[in-house]
Amino acid sequence: MRDASVGHLVESLSLVVGMVPTRQWKSPQMIAARTCYDHLAGRYGVALFDALVQQQAITATASPRGDVELGLRGEAVFGKLGLDLGAVRRERRRFAFACPDWTERCPHLGGALGAALWAQLVERGWFVKQQGTRATLVTDEGKQQLQRHFGIQVNER
């Protein structure tokens, strides 16, 4: 069976046994922004997760892969970004969870909500997926909008 849990297991085991990532994984671009299957990871993914918690759009979790619920302002924050939370909840998968980020050692947003948010960020032109890799480019517009909406500024080096 191929699913996200297999990839998470491989990445987690590589950290436990001290495997050195390949040159591709060490690149500043991969560390700054990449996909983790169908959601945003890296420094931008972690910063976005933290900002969503701070804005009370989602709840924090104490568990490394714990479920994440909508916060008091979740409907407003995600609605402003154009997400249909009803449609996201109807998906046949886990709604949202804290996905451990292997470079930052902090969570980014996984699950159906993380995937819907990633799709919206790409649709808005804030991020551009690079063909053949998990690395993504953050556009100038994306940097401006992430700062405006979430107060996010990431050092990409």
Side-chain angles (χ1 to χ4, degrees), residues 39-116:
H39 55 271
L40 180 63
R43 287 186 181 140
Y44 279 98
V46 169
L48 185 55
F49 184 92
D50 291 343
L52 291 168
V53 169
Q54 186 174 5
Q55 290 185 1
Q56 298 181 337
I58 59 174
T59 60
T61 175
S63 174
R65 293 187 54 79
D67 287 338
V68 169
E69 299 296 329
L70 282 183
L72 296 173
R73 299 193 58 244
E75 294 280 342
V77 171
F78 290 111
K80 190 173 182 180
L81 291 172
L83 269 68
D84 178 351
L85 293 176
V88 174
R89 285 197 182 279
R90 287 190 294 275
E91 290 192 30
R92 299 185 75 174
R93 63 189 282 192
R94 203 167 161 193
F95 174 67
F97 63 92
C99 186
D101 196 277
W102 62 269
T103 56
E104 301 304 301
R105 309 271 191 197
C106 295
H108 55 257
L109 184 61
L113 183 58

Side-chain angles (χ1 to χ4, degrees), residues 28 31-33 43-44 47 104 152-157:
I31 291 170
R43 287 186 181 140
Y44 279 98
E104 301 304 301
I152 295 173
Q153 285 186 303
V154 170
N155 179 359
E156 295 183 26
R157 297 273 174 215

Side-chain angles (χ1 to χ4, degrees), residues 10-27 102-103 105:
V10 171
E11 287 180 358
S12 296
L13 288 174
S14 70
L15 289 173
V16 169
V17 298
M19 289 176 58
V20 177
T22 64
R23 190 173 304 147
Q24 174 190 4
W25 290 106
K26 290 182 186 178
S27 76
W102 62 269
T103 56
R105 309 271 191 197

Side-chain angles (χ1 to χ4, degrees), residues 33-35 38-41 43-49 52 77-78 80-83 108-109 113-129 136-147 149-150 152:
R34 67 182 175 281
T35 54
D38 61 357
H39 55 271
L40 180 63
R43 287 186 181 140
Y44 279 98
V46 169
L48 185 55
F49 184 92
L52 291 168
V77 171
F78 290 111
K80 190 173 182 180
L81 291 172
L83 269 68
H108 55 257
L109 184 61
L113 183 58
L117 180 57
W118 167 246
Q120 191 60 236
L121 297 173
V122 171
E123 185 176 310
R124 288 173 174 251
W126 297 4
F127 288 84
V128 176
K129 180 97 168 88
T136 64
L137 295 174
V138 186
T139 65
D140 288 340
E141 174 72 10
K143 290 175 186 176
Q144 291 171 6
Q145 294 301 323
L146 289 168
Q147 169 64 35
H149 288 281
F150 301 104
I152 295 173

